[in-house]
Amino acid sequence: MRKVVLALLAIPSIFLGGCWDESQYKDVTIVPVMGITTSGGQVKEFFSYPTFHNDTISYTQSEGSGISGRSAREDANHRTMEALDFTHLEVLLVSSEIAKNELHEQLDMFFRSPRNRITSYLAIVEGDMEQYFKPPGDLNTEVADFYPELLRTAVLYSYITENTMGESVKILLDDTIDLSLPYLTINDNGIPTIEGIALFSHGKYTGATLKKQEAVLAGVMKKQQGKYTRLSFHWKERDSPITIEIINTRRKMKISNDRISVNYVINFSVVEFPNNNLNSKNIRRETENFLSAEIKKDFDKIIKKTQENKSDIIGFGRTVHAFHQKMWNKGDWSETYSTLPIEVNVTMKMKRTSIYD
Amino acid sequence: MVGKSPSMFFFLHKSVQWRRYFSREVKYMGSDNKPVISKKSLKQLFYNSMDFVIIDVEWPMGKGILCYYSSLADPTEANKQIDIIRQRALEKTNNWGKTAASDVKPYSEEELVKSVCSGQTVIIFEESQLMLTVSAPNTSGRTPSEPETEQVVRGPHDGFVESTQINLTLIRQKLHRKDLVVKSMEIGADTSTTMTYLYIDTIADKDVVKLFETKLEDVRDINILNTGEIEDYLEGSVYSPFPQLLYTERPDRVVFNLMEGKIALFADNSPSAMIAPVTFFSFFQSPDDFNGRVIIGSFFRLLRIISLVMAIFLPAFYIAVVSFHSEILPIELSKKVKLAINEIPYRPIFEAFILEVFIELIREASIRLPKPIGQTIGVVGGLIIGDAIVSAGLVSNLMVIVVALTAISSFVVPTAEMNMSIRILRFPFMIAAALFGFFGMAIGMMILTIHLLTLSSLKQPYFAPFIPLDTTRFMDIFLRSPYTKFHKQQKTFTFISKKKGRKS
């Protein structure tokens, strides 16, 4: 009897495969790039994905709309051949309107299923979302390939700090630090470009952005650099451009009751300086002083801008929350931050001239 | 008939004399109880077999009947021996019948059959009820050549043959030790097979030897012609996919194992030695490791462990990924995989089964075919059909890669039995992966591990040194540590004594 019962249990389990959590890879369509926007009170989603037919890959786009992100996704399934699968989502583009209102709401669906990839990049786009999926300019490649590579390169060269979906939501829900996301626009040639980074405050996009070099410097201030961090300046007195590569950064924060002073010591190497003569100690000193002044100027600008927008992207709030409860308890941190006097000191140290004289 | 002979008294007198010579062995039987021995009765005893030769001979002490199987004995050699013995008998040497190649025994039908069947030439003296057995067997057989399934690059190129005597010679030549004990046991009720087992007395575990002997004793009445049959009786669990006894046709392998304290068993007329007790990892060692240099031996040993993992899990892993967990595919790879499998009409499990069956067919077909045709089968099967099956869209090219890689990995295992076990083991894993994905594989893995941990070979743990755990021996299992380093001798699995000796 027991054997019969066991057999009755074991044999049907062989046929379970189909109704278990199986999802044949050949029956799904992987979506590498997805965009979310709103139109007329409805959420509208765009998808760009490869389709496979007769041993060739071609790319198509589709869209769906609904009352929420998930319903828009289901809506799109009505029009695609195979079910859309988001396990390989590489880039999620979010329109600035959504970012200004309810970014977290739209990201919720990605955290509800273990099959979703939360290491995909998140980026804010300005303007009509459809344009980003059908750019007016010639990309020379497919949209599904373009955005992942664009953002990967930007991270590598420190134009943006690495902001994956998982990390972003963590920061989004954090009171001590504000989010900054890559900000994309379509340039004059009709090609999507990384403009800089978008500043958030209280989990909402403020509408303010940091432009290219500022974005790189903000990364230096956060001590989050990619593989290469290059900055270019024009040295008027010597009538020469100078480009440096930052090797590493040390940061020391002094927080007293009503002010913060930050000391940066930045090691750098020179990667371009036609004026040269760096074998002379005086010139090296002079260069270091020039760069210290320039970068301090830029840092001050960044702090001013973030304070104006009540967006503490550098994360001073973290240290304050951890070690200076008195200051933290003064009230809402964004408000405190916007009025806090912050003094920045920069010491640049030339470690390599990159040339042998 | 005997009683009516005119020379009866002479013979009786002689027999008394003989009785004095062999008083320890011969029980005098009264003339009334003597069994009738004649050429006719003897022929009947051997069912009038054509190759049973029976001749009358004259002997200094009287008449005798000489008989032997012409198929087993060598008559020329027998004549030479008989001449020598006859000379001794004439000279009335003490114990004239006992020489290196002959013996004198009291006559009995049973003893006669046994001697004749083992290839001896027998002279029966009906008067004295004695028989002289002369060992002059027909020594036709193979010469020791390298076994085809266990070839090595470096090391001795000899192999066992069907004759146990030659096999023992091969081992003794390699192992000059007086504590190498050779014992034998006759097995079988109707036919008799000599089982010869050997071990090194000072190294082998006494309990294991005793257990082995009792197990052999249990099968004494069973007709066994080959070591393969006795394997079932010696193994602890017959239905386990893992072999619990190691077969080899290489003398050097037997010597290495004897030095580790194991027992080797030979069956007459079988060229393979059976070694017990063994551990799971014994099957992954090749004599090449011991002969090769440290780095090279270690590399190949690691390679074999990796190949074991690949041979069992690779197809299952692939099936699990494409039917359940496509999210783990790297993004760069995902498009290629998708392109390959997009237009395959059925589930990956069927795809895998088609190819696996296909490969097993090629293998099975090429084993029994002569070498040149076997190669043709390999080319036709592997290249032509393999390519056609992909272009026909029946199987994806990725699956071909996976299955081919698995097949190659499974052939890396240096012993034939383990090799087959592993090839069979991957099917349950494939089914588990097709049903439940990684979850199914994990459950299968757990069952397999539990089974391996409980398995034993002659009551010794099969999965040593994991159970019982001995981390110091891990080095010897996964790598080939230098001989100059100290090696712990695994005399018993209880790890009581530590001795310097050869590592496993």
Side-chain angles (χ1 to χ4, degrees):
Chain A
M1 188 60 204
R2 262 183 70 192
K3 273 185 186 166
V4 175
V5 172
L6 272 178
L8 280 176
L9 284 174
I11 293 167
S13 75
I14 296 169
F15 305 105
L16 262 178
C19 54
W20 203 254
D21 55 356
E22 187 189 61
S23 77
Q24 291 287 347
Y25 191 47
K26 63 185 167 105
D27 297 334
V28 295
T29 294
I30 49 166
V31 181
V33 176
M34 175 181 166
I36 306 181
T37 183
T38 50
S39 83
Q42 285 228 313
V43 176
K44 201 167 179 191
E45 289 183 339
F46 293 86
F47 311 98
S48 174
Y49 49 85
T51 52
F52 303 86
H53 191 65
N54 284 343
D55 291 346
T56 49
I57 307 179
S58 53
Y59 290 83
T60 46
Q61 265 133 27
S62 95
E63 51 183 87
S65 54
I67 53 157
S68 67
R70 187 78 206 201
S71 71
R73 220 161 106 178
E74 300 304 325
D75 181 48
N77 265 344
H78 292 294
R79 260 163 267 135
T80 53
M81 200 167 67
E82 291 169 334
L84 297 178
D85 185 82
F86 292 87
T87 53
H88 282 110
L89 186 68
E90 287 189 80
V91 173
L92 175 64
L93 301 177
V94 182
S95 72
S96 54
E97 296 84 58
I98 284 190
K100 276 174 186 159
N101 297 309
E102 75 235 9
L103 179 60
H104 180 241
E105 269 176 45
Q106 298 304 333
L107 296 181
D108 179 75
M109 62 174 168
F110 293 99
F111 292 86
R112 300 254 169 218
S113 154
R115 280 176 58 84
N116 275 327
R117 193 164 174 266
I118 56 165
T119 49
S120 40
Y121 290 120
L122 205 56
I124 307 290
V125 299
E126 190 64 62
D128 184 13
M129 180 64 81
E130 197 162 0
Q131 278 218 312
Y132 287 86
F133 281 81
K134 286 167 187 148
D138 186 13
L139 286 184
N140 289 325
T141 178
E142 298 296 335
V143 167
D145 288 336
F146 176 77
Y147 289 111
E149 290 303 326
L150 180 74
L151 288 166
R152 211 167 287 145
T153 313
V155 168
L156 195 65
Y157 287 87
S158 312
Y159 301 151
I160 53 174
T161 51
E162 189 165 10
N163 267 318
T164 58
M165 200 191 285
E167 278 296 309
S168 302
V169 171
K170 214 167 76 189
I171 297 173
L172 205 60
L173 300 174
D174 197 337
D175 291 336
T176 58
I177 186 166
D178 282 307
L179 183 64
S180 61
L181 285 178
Y183 181 71
L184 267 67
T185 55
I186 292 196
N187 69 4
D188 300 340
N189 297 328
I191 296 190
T193 322
I194 296 177
E195 254 322 290
I197 52 174
L199 302 180
F200 279 66
S201 176
H202 284 298
K204 285 183 174 125
Y205 172 41
T206 55
T209 57
L210 292 180
K211 296 282 176 266
K212 282 162 192 158
Q213 183 141 337
E214 286 174 334
V216 176
L217 281 164
V220 175
M221 286 181 87
K222 278 172 143 180
K223 291 182 64 184
Q224 285 177 9
Q225 286 161 231
K227 195 166 181 189
Y228 313 103
T229 311
R230 289 183 189 139
L231 296 165
S232 294
F233 300 91
H234 188 76
W235 196 346
K236 266 188 197 150
E237 291 84 52
R238 290 195 169 268
D239 192 26
S240 166
I242 178 163
T243 306
I244 58 163
E245 185 170 331
I246 289 174
I247 301 165
N248 57 34
T249 309
R250 271 172 290 160
R251 182 174 74 180
K252 256 186 192 162
M253 227 182 269
K254 267 186 205 156
I255 301 173
S256 60
N257 216 6
D258 53 351
R259 62 187 298 111
I260 295 177
S261 86
V262 204
N263 267 314
Y264 283 99
V265 178
I266 298 171
N267 292 328
F268 70 96
S269 71
V270 179
V271 290
E272 188 193 29
F273 187 48
N275 200 289
N276 203 14
N277 296 327
L278 286 174
N279 53 353
S280 143
K281 201 173 181 179
N282 287 339
I283 307 243
R284 287 208 298 275
R285 245 347 123 253
E286 210 180 312
T287 314
E288 282 175 355
N289 292 338
F290 164 74
L291 287 169
S292 300
E294 281 291 314
I295 286 174
K296 182 183 157 44
K297 223 170 16 185
D298 286 339
F299 278 9
D300 283 338
K301 243 192 267 173
I302 291 168
I303 285 185
K304 201 172 157 234
K305 210 165 189 176
T306 55
Q307 280 184 329
E308 277 167 10
N309 292 293
K310 299 176 183 172
S311 169
D312 176 20
I313 59 164
I314 293 139
F316 292 111
R318 292 224 150 150
T319 322
V320 173
H321 182 236
F323 304 110
H324 303 274
Q325 280 291 308
K326 213 168 164 188
M327 187 189 269
W328 178 259
N329 288 330
K330 267 186 185 171
D332 181 47
W333 170 247
S334 302
E335 299 299 331
T336 319
Y337 175 71
S338 63
T339 55
L340 202 68
I342 297 175
E343 189 196 324
V344 181
N345 288 311
V346 180
T347 316
M348 298 298 285
K349 284 190 175 166
M350 191 189 291
K351 290 288 169 186
R352 298 165 201 153
T353 60
S354 306
I355 205 162
Y356 184 74
D357 300 286
Chain B
M1 211 170 106
V2 174
K4 282 170 193 166
S5 164
S7 52
M8 189 185 84
F9 286 108
F10 170 77
F11 274 113
L12 269 179
H13 174 69
K14 282 287 171 195
S15 75
V16 173
Q17 270 192 340
W18 282 19
R19 190 162 50 105
R20 278 189 205 129
Y21 289 131
F22 307 113
S23 54
R24 275 163 299 167
E25 301 141 53
V26 181
K27 272 191 188 148
Y28 180 71
M29 287 182 285
S31 56
D32 297 330
N33 300 336
K34 276 183 191 169
V36 178
I37 308 170
S38 69
K39 279 167 82 173
K40 205 179 162 192
S41 65
L42 284 176
K43 270 205 157 166
Q44 264 165 6
L45 185 64
F46 287 89
Y47 294 89
N48 293 320
S49 186
M50 190 270 286
D51 59 346
F52 182 68
V53 180
I54 185 155
I55 317 162
D56 282 320
V57 285
E58 286 298 325
W59 202 254
M61 292 84 183
K63 264 183 158 178
I65 302 168
L66 183 144
C67 55
Y68 60 91
Y69 267 133
S70 61
S71 46
L72 290 179
D74 179 4
T76 329
E77 180 63 27
N79 273 347
K80 273 187 208 163
Q81 292 297 329
I82 288 168
D83 277 345
I84 294 167
I85 298 160
R86 196 197 303 269
Q87 197 59 42
R88 282 165 64 100
L90 275 174
E91 286 164 11
K92 298 211 166 124
T93 322
N94 276 359
N95 288 345
W96 53 263
K98 286 210 165 182
T99 66
S102 66
D103 198 3
V104 175
K105 295 169 186 166
Y107 172 79
S108 75
E109 267 184 16
E110 202 182 305
E111 200 66 27
L112 175 72
V113 170
K114 206 170 170 183
S115 303
V116 172
C117 285
S118 64
Q120 287 175 320
T121 310
V122 180
I123 304 175
I124 305 153
F125 306 104
E126 52 178 316
E127 277 310 307
S128 53
Q129 293 292 308
L130 286 170
M131 59 182 205
L132 174 73
T133 57
V134 180
S135 222
N138 191 350
T139 52
S140 64
R142 290 193 292 137
T143 47
S145 60
E146 181 156 36
E148 284 200 358
T149 52
E150 289 176 275
Q151 287 179 348
V152 294
V153 178
R154 198 175 139 185
H157 294 290
D158 54 355
F160 289 133
V161 292
E162 279 74 9
S163 153
T164 307
Q165 278 310 319
I166 298 176
N167 294 347
L168 289 178
T169 313
L170 289 172
I171 290 172
R172 282 262 188 221
Q173 277 171 354
K174 288 191 167 57
L175 208 56
H176 304 257
R177 290 179 75 132
K178 71 172 193 305
D179 52 357
L180 171 64
V181 182
V182 182
K183 287 184 179 171
S184 72
M185 192 181 273
E186 297 279 329
I187 282 179
D190 305 323
T191 173
S192 118
T193 310
T194 314
M195 291 286 167
T196 311
Y197 58 97
L198 40 153
Y199 57 92
I200 296 177
D201 194 59
T202 48
I203 301 177
D205 192 341
K206 299 280 180 300
D207 293 339
V208 175
V209 174
K210 214 170 157 187
L211 180 78
F212 181 78
E213 280 169 349
T214 43
K215 282 208 168 194
L216 266 190
E217 202 66 52
D218 290 344
V219 294
R220 195 183 261 280
D221 289 336
I222 293 160
N223 293 326
I224 282 167
L225 292 172
N226 213 324
T227 38
E229 292 170 46
I230 205 164
E231 186 180 0
D232 280 5
Y233 293 100
L234 292 179
E235 274 188 346
S237 51
V238 185
Y239 292 108
S240 166
F242 296 103
Q244 292 137 57
L245 301 159
L246 174 70
Y247 275 89
T248 182
E249 294 188 26
R250 295 192 61 86
D252 53 345
R253 204 170 201 168
V254 171
V255 169
F256 283 138
N257 278 291
L258 286 174
M259 292 290 284
E260 286 171 18
K262 290 166 186 168
I263 306 167
L265 176 74
F266 287 98
D268 221 357
N269 307 318
S270 163
S272 51
M274 207 176 63
I275 293 162
V278 284
T279 66
F280 180 71
F281 299 100
S282 318
F283 292 92
F284 293 91
Q285 294 165 359
S286 161
D288 264 340
D289 300 353
F290 299 106
N291 289 320
R293 301 188 61 251
V294 173
I295 297 286
I296 296 152
S298 304
F299 172 73
F300 286 115
R301 207 171 266 194
L302 275 179
L303 192 75
R304 276 185 223 123
I305 301 283
I306 295 166
S307 82
L308 163 77
V309 176
M310 282 215 318
I312 298 181
F313 297 114
L314 192 63
F317 179 78
Y318 175 76
I319 290 169
V321 167
V322 296
S323 7
F324 286 87
H325 315 284
S326 51
E327 66 270 15
I328 71 156
L329 282 171
I331 282 155
E332 292 78 8
L333 199 66
S334 61
K335 278 182 205 157
K336 305 263 177 235
V337 176
K338 177 83 177 155
L339 194 63
I341 65 168
N342 207 35
E343 279 161 40
I344 303 300
Y346 27 67
R347 291 168 174 279
I349 180 78
F350 292 121
E351 211 184 326
F353 266 113
I354 288 176
L355 265 190
E356 289 284 359
V357 166
F358 177 56
I359 284 204
E360 292 299 307
L361 281 176
I362 296 177
R363 193 192 59 83
E364 194 63 26
S366 54
I367 281 180
R368 274 168 258 288
L369 284 171
K371 255 186 191 166
I373 305 177
Q375 279 175 358
T376 319
I377 290 278
V379 172
V380 171
L383 296 178
I384 301 176
I385 301 182
D387 188 46
I389 213 165
V390 171
S391 21
L394 296 177
V395 171
S396 67
N397 44 19
L398 268 174
M399 186 58 95
V400 173
I401 296 172
V402 166
V403 171
L405 205 58
T406 313
I408 293 169
S409 317
S410 68
F411 290 124
V412 168
V413 178
T415 35
E417 293 85 44
M418 188 52 100
N419 188 323
M420 283 174 216
S421 307
I422 282 164
R423 277 218 310 280
I424 287 169
L425 265 179
R426 66 170 177 253
F427 288 102
F429 273 97
M430 273 155 58
I431 294 170
L435 291 181
F436 307 111
F438 285 159
F439 174 70
M441 280 175 73
I443 296 291
M445 183 69 203
M446 277 160 71
I447 294 172
L448 187 74
T449 314
I450 292 168
H451 174 69
L452 270 174
L453 294 178
T454 53
L455 209 58
S456 65
S457 167
L458 282 185
K459 298 253 157 71
Q460 300 298 318
Y462 190 64
F463 212 48
F466 285 95
I467 291 285
L469 186 72
D470 182 6
T471 45
T472 54
R473 284 176 50 79
F474 280 6
M475 258 293 272
D476 290 344
I477 280 177
F478 297 117
L479 306 169
R480 170 220 183 279
S481 48
Y483 287 116
T484 45
K485 289 267 158 60
F486 174 80
H487 291 297
K488 193 151 90 179
Q489 170 71 47
Q490 184 160 11
K491 180 184 173 183
T492 91
F493 292 93
T494 45
F495 306 109
I496 296 163
S497 55
K498 286 180 185 175
K499 259 170 125 179
K500 191 172 159 46
R502 181 178 290 280
K503 71 178 172 84
S504 63

